[in-house]
Amino acid sequence: MELEEAYSLLSDLRKTHKTIIIVADCTVEYKGRAESYLPPGERVILIKRDRTVLVHQDSGSMPVNYMKENSDWRPVLEKDKLELRINNISYKESMLIVMNKVFSVSSFSLSDGQKIQLVGTERDMADMIYANPDIVEKGLRAVATEEQTKYGFVDVLCYDRQNNLVVIECKRYTADLKAVSQLRRYVERIKKSKGIENVRGILCAPKITSNAKEMLFDFGFSFKAVKPPAYMSREEHRQRSLADFEHSKG
Amino acid sequence: MELEEAYSLLSDLRKTHKTIIIVADCTVEYKGRAESYLPPGERVILIKRDRTVLVHQDSGSMPVNYMKENSDWRPVLEKDKLELRINNISYKESMLIVMNKVFSVSSFSLSDGQKIQLVGTERDMADMIYANPDIVEKGLRAVATEEQTKYGFVDVLCYDRQNNLVVIECKRYTADLKAVSQLRRYVERIKKSKGIENVRGILCAPKITSNAKEMLFDFGFSFKAVKPPAYMSREEHRQRSLADFEHSKG
DNA sequence: GGGGAGAGATGCCGC
DNA sequence: GCGGCATTTCTCCCC
């Protein structure tokens, strides 16, 4: 594809809200929170309706370079080069894509107002434990989820049978040192703010690393193996989706 | 575009290493580490050479759904639907894309062996402080960077003029509660492993949140405002890139 | 492969 | 806007 043709196409697309897909041999320079340079190679460039710009190599999940939403971009035709100059004033970032060959430019007016429905998150775990704290320890009484404190929010707050406060921190993945530190921060904060000493900490996760376990026990906390809640069936997904649709009509 | 045509194209592409771009109206279901459902909408689907699959909506930096590298995929033609069934045995994940309209299928043999060169990371900050610890405190002597401990690795380890050990934790962004907890973990670990009490902690970052500062001072640690090192100029980038090229020839 | 931590993290929610 | 934090985090590095 001729660079002039690509330039003309992109110029026309600049002020639209179309999603643009470019395939090109290019270099990429970035300057902003850090600075980077990507030597020549063939990549896919995606410009979205919200003016997010992504550069994808032919492997890996992550874009190799990107500019966040509301980035200003314009094509510039140089000798034997077609440049995309991209700027984001609010993020104080800029990107320069220099294309020496353009394989394809295509554009689409995409219509999509949907949001993903995700189940099996840490929040779902906390809700499950709040509804049924016995799975953590017999006789627990749950009093709050997502309790806000200045030092972060506690997943589940309970009282045990001796009326000690119990702070529960949930992790949907293997609990690590960070999780133990987090639990400790909440426990200390609550001790201080409420002026009480008997505050227990329980870490709930499917697994825990050996070092984290050691540190946890050093602080007198405990671990309870809990898996994230069972996933919805496909049928339940569909019903939930339908319910959302019905709701949005109202 | 007819579903049959898209099916035929994708069937032919299945065993190639081409990068495939599909634009379609579709739903997406995912099941693996969690479970999700995405109601119908028009999206861009990217299948890479390494069999990574990405689904992008028309806004935002992140794919709304994805499957990691080496995923097996195949097109299946149903009545009025074209499905992409994707499976990854090693990650125990699966994804189902159901397309009811396909706007475009295109494919490219991309050639790209380049890696991005990035400057201005936290590691660069630690190296800068190691080379010149005076910017943190007069008279510091740096003895190690990236010192490994069982509870994590310390960015920079120093001695001050009174020969106290000083643990320095660097953050390239605004330091938060997590950063303070991390520093605390290292200081306590070193106190314990070396059996000494006088271990200081200094947090180096461009800024710090007020809560983090409060917690930091509670623990007797201190804060020093340090910016990440100056970025390379564009000319330096070019020279570095050239040097890499010369090197790769050898 | 497990463990630990950074990332140009991004995205979400709450104040 | 900042702040705190989860993420189908991803990615890298070290042991």
Side-chain angles (χ1 to χ4, degrees):
Chain A
M1 183 181 206
E2 294 294 324
L3 293 183
E4 287 78 6
E5 187 189 349
Y7 171 74
S8 168
L9 275 170
L10 290 170
S11 297
D12 290 343
L13 288 167
R14 193 158 98 86
K15 289 299 177 191
T16 70
H17 287 265
K18 287 190 173 181
T19 291
I20 306 165
I21 304 170
I22 306 167
V23 183
D25 190 309
C26 63
T27 64
V28 186
E29 293 177 39
Y30 159 80
K31 195 166 165 52
R33 283 171 291 180
E35 186 166 311
S36 72
Y37 174 71
L38 182 64
E42 297 170 6
R43 287 125 199 175
V44 177
I45 302 161
L46 202 58
I47 306 177
K48 295 189 178 188
R49 179 185 50 73
D50 69 345
R51 288 184 284 137
T52 296
V53 181
L54 305 175
V55 180
H56 271 279
Q57 290 181 297
D58 61 358
S59 69
S61 304
M62 308 295 287
V64 64
N65 275 109
Y66 56 93
M67 291 284 283
K68 283 183 285 196
E69 76 282 355
N70 298 320
S71 292
D72 297 312
W73 63 273
R74 66 189 182 98
V76 175
L77 191 59
E78 299 279 354
K79 181 172 161 38
D80 295 334
K81 307 275 181 193
L82 175 57
E83 296 184 356
L84 277 184
R85 298 185 188 171
I86 309 156
N87 232 292
N88 193 305
I89 298 172
S90 45
Y91 285 113
K92 291 177 189 166
E93 293 180 310
S94 66
M95 196 163 83
L96 172 65
I97 302 176
V98 180
M99 300 176 273
N100 57 68
K101 251 184 275 178
V102 177
F103 301 109
S104 164
V105 175
S106 52
S107 64
F108 304 87
S109 288
L110 298 185
S111 166
D112 184 2
Q114 296 296 337
K115 282 193 177 174
I116 192 168
Q117 301 163 13
L118 187 65
V119 191
T121 62
E122 183 181 297
R123 178 61 199 265
D124 292 328
M125 242 179 111
D127 288 344
M128 177 181 71
I129 290 171
Y130 180 75
N132 188 15
D134 268 9
I135 60 178
V136 176
E137 183 181 289
K138 268 282 173 205
L140 280 186
R141 287 175 291 120
V143 291
T145 54
E146 309 286 314
E147 171 93 345
Q148 299 288 333
T149 77
K150 219 174 64 174
Y151 278 11
F153 58 88
V154 172
D155 282 340
V156 189
L157 204 59
C158 299
Y159 282 100
D160 68 10
R161 275 180 294 190
Q162 285 75 42
N163 275 326
N164 296 310
L165 256 183
V166 181
V167 176
I168 295 178
E169 174 60 32
C170 303
K171 291 295 166 206
R172 65 181 309 284
Y173 53 88
T174 305
D176 57 14
L177 294 174
K178 285 200 301 272
V180 180
S181 284
Q182 195 182 350
L183 177 59
R184 185 189 192 192
R185 208 159 62 225
Y186 299 152
V187 169
E188 288 184 341
R189 182 65 197 171
I190 287 175
K191 279 183 181 174
K192 196 177 170 185
S193 68
K194 297 199 188 281
I196 51 177
E197 252 313 298
N198 289 332
V199 180
R200 298 172 51 203
I202 303 178
L203 190 53
C204 296
K207 284 197 301 179
I208 184 167
T209 69
S210 52
N211 286 336
K213 199 169 190 174
E214 186 182 324
M215 187 175 159
L216 190 76
F217 291 165
D218 277 354
F219 298 149
F221 300 145
S222 55
F223 174 75
K224 173 70 184 179
V226 177
K227 280 181 190 167
Y231 309 129
M232 284 196 300
S233 70
R234 184 173 297 181
E235 205 43 53
E236 284 171 314
H237 268 305
R238 293 227 169 86
Q239 284 170 14
R240 182 166 170 170
S241 169
L242 185 64
D244 283 0
F245 175 71
E246 292 294 333
H247 182 71
S248 69
K249 282 197 306 187
Chain B
M1 182 180 204
E2 294 294 323
L3 293 183
E4 288 78 6
E5 186 189 349
Y7 171 73
S8 168
L9 275 170
L10 290 170
S11 298
D12 291 343
L13 288 167
R14 192 159 98 86
K15 290 298 179 191
T16 68
H17 287 263
K18 287 189 173 182
T19 290
I20 306 164
I21 305 169
I22 306 167
V23 182
D25 191 307
C26 63
T27 64
V28 186
E29 292 178 38
Y30 160 79
K31 194 167 164 52
R33 284 170 290 179
E35 185 167 312
S36 70
Y37 174 70
L38 182 66
E42 298 170 4
R43 289 122 198 177
V44 177
I45 302 161
L46 202 57
I47 306 177
K48 294 191 178 188
R49 179 186 50 74
D50 68 345
R51 288 184 284 138
T52 296
V53 181
L54 305 175
V55 180
H56 271 278
Q57 290 182 297
D58 63 357
S59 67
S61 304
M62 307 294 288
V64 65
N65 276 110
Y66 57 93
M67 291 282 282
K68 282 182 286 194
E69 73 284 353
N70 299 320
S71 293
D72 297 313
W73 63 274
R74 67 190 184 98
V76 175
L77 191 60
E78 300 277 355
K79 181 169 160 42
D80 295 334
K81 306 275 181 194
L82 175 56
E83 295 184 357
L84 276 185
R85 298 185 187 171
I86 310 156
N87 231 293
N88 193 306
I89 299 172
S90 45
Y91 285 112
K92 292 178 188 164
E93 293 179 311
S94 66
M95 196 163 82
L96 172 65
I97 302 175
V98 179
M99 300 176 275
N100 57 68
K101 251 185 275 176
V102 177
F103 301 109
S104 163
V105 175
S106 53
S107 64
F108 303 87
S109 288
L110 298 185
S111 167
D112 185 2
Q114 297 296 339
K115 282 193 177 172
I116 192 168
Q117 301 161 14
L118 187 65
V119 192
T121 63
E122 182 180 297
R123 179 60 200 264
D124 293 327
M125 237 179 116
D127 289 344
M128 177 181 71
I129 290 171
Y130 180 75
N132 188 15
D134 267 10
I135 60 179
V136 176
E137 182 180 291
K138 269 283 174 204
L140 281 187
R141 286 174 292 119
V143 291
T145 54
E146 310 287 314
E147 172 93 345
Q148 298 289 332
T149 77
K150 215 175 69 173
Y151 279 11
F153 58 90
V154 172
D155 282 340
V156 188
L157 203 60
C158 299
Y159 282 100
D160 68 9
R161 275 179 296 191
Q162 285 76 41
N163 276 326
N164 295 311
L165 256 181
V166 181
V167 176
I168 296 178
E169 175 60 32
C170 303
K171 290 296 167 206
R172 64 183 307 288
Y173 52 87
T174 305
D176 56 14
L177 294 174
K178 285 201 303 271
V180 180
S181 284
Q182 194 181 349
L183 176 60
R184 185 188 191 191
R185 210 158 62 225
Y186 299 154
V187 169
E188 288 184 342
R189 181 64 197 171
I190 286 175
K191 279 183 181 174
K192 196 177 170 185
S193 69
K194 297 198 189 280
I196 50 178
E197 255 311 301
N198 289 330
V199 180
R200 299 171 51 202
I202 303 179
L203 189 52
C204 296
K207 286 196 299 180
I208 185 167
T209 68
S210 56
N211 285 338
K213 199 169 191 173
E214 185 182 324
M215 190 174 157
L216 190 77
F217 292 164
D218 277 354
F219 299 151
F221 300 145
S222 55
F223 173 73
K224 173 68 186 181
V226 177
K227 279 181 190 167
Y231 311 130
M232 284 197 303
S233 70
R234 183 174 296 181
E235 204 43 54
E236 283 172 315
H237 268 304
R238 293 225 169 89
Q239 284 170 14
R240 182 166 171 169
S241 168
L242 186 64
D244 282 359
F245 174 71
E246 292 293 333
H247 183 73
S248 69
K249 284 198 306 187

